[in-house]
Amino acid sequence: ICGDNHTTCSNYAQQMAYGVKPPMLADTIVNLGEAAEYIFDHTIFQDNLVFVDFCEAMVKATNPSVLARAERTEARNGNIHGYRTIADIMRAFNPFEGEVYKEALKVSRITREMFCLMEGRHVHPSTLYPGGVGTMPEPTTFTDYLSRLIRVIDFVKMAVAMNDDVFDFFYEALPGYEEVGRRRIMLGCWGAWQNPEVCDYRYKTMSEWGRAMYVTPGIIVDGRLVTNDLVDINLGIRILLGSSYYEDWGNEEPFVTHDPLGNPVDMRHPWNQTTVPLPQKRDFSGNYSWVMSPRWYDKNTNEHLALDTGGGPLARLWSTALNGLVDTPYVKATGHSVQISLPKSEKLPEMTLEWKIPQWSNTIERDRARPYFVAYAAAMAFNFLEKAMGFIRAGDTKVFENYEVPDEAIGCGFQEAVPGVL
């Protein structure tokens, strides 16, 4: 359900290989499509799939004493979302019957319409190409997107408040729940939403334009930022065989010995990977899977790290917060948090939400990050709309740049799919 993320990532790689930079309006249209995709996908996943674990019907069947306590517990953010108790929120998420469950399905339709205005169709975009887009940049294209965005902002604000209330309640009602799904804090984010004023898609400038992305790339180990440099991130990627059914390519001739900056490229880097299947009987003490083992090599510790994406949003928010580089009228990274400003909507006033770096990387914090990133994407959509309309008003409506495909080239694309790194 995140086909456009893959299209976008593929186009980034091709633009580097072909040496083409799309017009700034084209990159902005891609960003608007991606923003709609994040809102759509995270909403349907969080509210129609994840939250079933926390809804009244599930908790009643599995832990009735917790539901009894939820009936007696006032919701702290009731003034925002309108539900008096935690149990009232849980009921609203009951599958097929709950008010929020059904509203989330409507929001997913509206946000897919937003997506299609920018990228033609969902899930395989019909107007995204290397070099630009085929979207006609009429003023109504962007006002139609804006009118739909405004319709979902109340829901976005309420969802953050409801999720915070329920997740804080679970921590209080079930001491020890913080251990559910807790992992070592070892996160990877490749960055999202190019800044068209900085990004030229050249490998030689990738460190600079990577840091200018509107979600900052980063690798975080034990809560510490190891690097935010896309060149370092690229060179550290390794594909290990693990317990998979493939022949080793370690003794083959490498395809690529050095990157365009002259840095040596490891034999285990994806650029040198050779995929030769070796079917065999499943052996749980040996090989049992068709899945290889991607890792990131930390040259400081000589470790191959199994980085976690935290379901996507946790790594994106954590990396952006720690880096402290994103500074727009709608989203600001502080070094320890991400501040997200949403304008006045139909029912609720202008609101600034703040996602703070949590104590743990666990199930609840992975889930909590999701509605905050929906708010982040909605806020950035306003930013991208203002930029797009600025181009239109200035008469700058070019959305495609011609190019020639070279006989030989090298390219890579870095992007965040909804659930994590691409």
Side-chain angles (χ1 to χ4, degrees):
I1 57 172
C2 49
D4 89 291
N5 303 137
H6 296 263
T7 305
T8 300
C9 193
S10 170
N11 287 345
Y12 289 169
Q14 290 178 80
Q15 280 155 194
M16 184 182 289
Y18 306 156
V20 60
K21 172 180 166 53
M24 288 201 285
L25 178 56
D27 270 338
T28 305
I29 287 170
V30 172
N31 286 347
L32 282 164
E34 291 285 276
E37 175 74 1
Y38 288 130
I39 302 169
F40 149 71
D41 204 325
H42 283 318
T43 297
I44 205 166
F45 186 74
Q46 183 80 352
D47 298 343
N48 301 120
L49 297 172
V50 167
F51 226 95
V52 173
D53 286 351
F54 301 93
C55 75
E56 180 209 36
M58 180 66 80
V59 177
K60 185 177 183 179
T62 58
N63 210 327
S65 64
V66 169
L67 181 60
R69 178 168 175 164
E71 297 281 11
R72 302 190 303 269
T73 305
E74 295 274 333
R76 292 178 189 141
N77 291 311
N79 61 316
I80 298 171
H81 53 64
Y83 294 100
R84 191 178 66 81
T85 68
I86 299 299
D88 289 335
I89 301 173
M90 290 173 165
R91 268 186 285 280
F93 280 98
N94 279 343
F96 309 112
E97 298 170 356
E99 191 178 22
V100 175
Y101 186 95
K102 290 189 283 191
E103 187 62 26
L105 293 172
K106 293 179 189 172
V107 168
S108 77
R109 187 190 70 239
I110 295 165
T111 47
R112 260 183 289 193
E113 289 172 0
M114 289 162 57
F115 177 92
C116 291
L117 284 164
M118 295 300 137
E119 300 193 15
R121 66 178 180 183
H122 193 278
V123 70
H124 300 293
S126 53
T127 59
L128 256 60
Y129 330 112
V133 299
T135 309
M136 293 301 290
E138 304 285 345
T140 51
T141 306
F142 302 104
T143 54
D144 286 352
Y145 184 106
L146 174 61
S147 67
R148 286 164 173 80
L149 179 60
I150 291 291
R151 282 168 62 191
V152 303
I153 292 300
D154 273 334
F155 181 87
V156 171
K157 293 172 181 173
M158 290 165 62
V160 171
M162 285 187 283
N163 279 261
D164 271 343
D165 279 352
V166 171
F167 295 143
D168 290 347
F169 167 78
F170 266 78
Y171 277 142
E172 293 163 10
L174 290 167
Y177 204 87
E178 67 277 2
E179 294 301 318
V180 175
R182 188 162 77 89
R183 300 172 183 166
R184 181 182 176 193
I185 299 169
M186 200 160 60
L187 298 163
C189 169
W190 287 180
W193 291 314
Q194 302 293 0
N195 183 336
E197 294 174 20
V198 181
C199 181
D200 59 8
Y201 296 98
R202 292 189 307 144
Y203 191 93
K204 290 182 178 179
T205 55
M206 191 161 74
S207 302
E208 289 77 49
W209 56 255
R211 292 189 183 101
M213 291 167 99
Y214 292 111
V215 167
T216 315
I219 288 170
I220 299 147
V221 179
D222 298 326
R224 185 178 63 86
L225 183 67
V226 174
T227 183
N228 62 8
D229 187 334
L230 279 183
V231 173
D232 284 347
I233 288 172
N234 176 49
L235 292 170
I237 299 172
R238 301 286 184 270
I239 307 295
L240 306 184
L241 286 170
S243 301
S244 61
Y245 305 135
Y246 298 96
E247 283 187 7
D248 193 356
W249 61 87
N251 296 321
E252 303 281 331
E253 278 289 311
F255 296 113
V256 181
T257 58
H258 292 82
D259 75 355
L261 290 167
N263 300 305
V265 175
D266 193 84
M267 196 65 197
R268 297 284 176 197
H269 189 276
W271 283 342
N272 286 320
Q273 179 183 341
T274 304
T275 307
V276 183
L278 190 64
Q280 55 198 272
K281 187 177 179 182
R282 183 179 292 180
D283 175 8
F284 286 110
S285 63
N287 296 336
Y288 58 84
S289 173
W290 285 110
V291 179
M292 294 189 195
S293 301
R295 297 289 184 266
W296 191 78
Y297 177 68
D298 187 349
K299 59 192 176 192
N300 300 317
T301 61
N302 204 30
E303 285 182 288
H304 287 92
L305 303 175
L307 297 179
D308 178 13
T309 71
L314 189 65
R316 288 197 278 275
L317 288 164
W318 208 309
S319 179
T320 300
L322 270 184
N323 274 289
L325 295 175
V326 172
D327 186 5
T328 75
Y330 294 95
V331 175
K332 294 181 189 295
T334 67
H336 59 85
S337 69
V338 178
Q339 295 173 345
I340 302 158
S341 298
L342 292 170
K344 183 179 184 297
S345 44
E346 186 183 357
K347 297 175 185 171
L348 293 169
E350 181 181 349
M351 203 174 280
T352 298
L353 311 170
E354 187 170 24
W355 179 89
K356 296 173 183 171
I357 292 175
Q359 188 176 346
W360 306 286
S361 173
N362 63 11
T363 297
I364 277 189
E365 297 309 331
R366 285 192 283 280
D367 287 344
R368 189 198 302 269
R370 211 167 282 115
Y372 273 94
F373 196 76
V374 169
Y376 190 131
M380 287 308 305
F382 284 107
N383 192 56
F384 300 143
L385 277 169
E386 288 175 8
K387 289 182 182 296
M389 292 303 284
F391 290 127
I392 300 295
R393 282 193 291 271
D396 183 0
T397 57
K398 188 176 180 182
V399 291
F400 188 80
E401 192 65 59
N402 287 321
Y403 60 88
E404 290 184 13
V405 178
D407 292 333
E408 202 171 289
I410 192 166
C412 53
F414 286 91
Q415 166 68 349
E416 286 281 312
V418 176
V421 300
L422 277 180

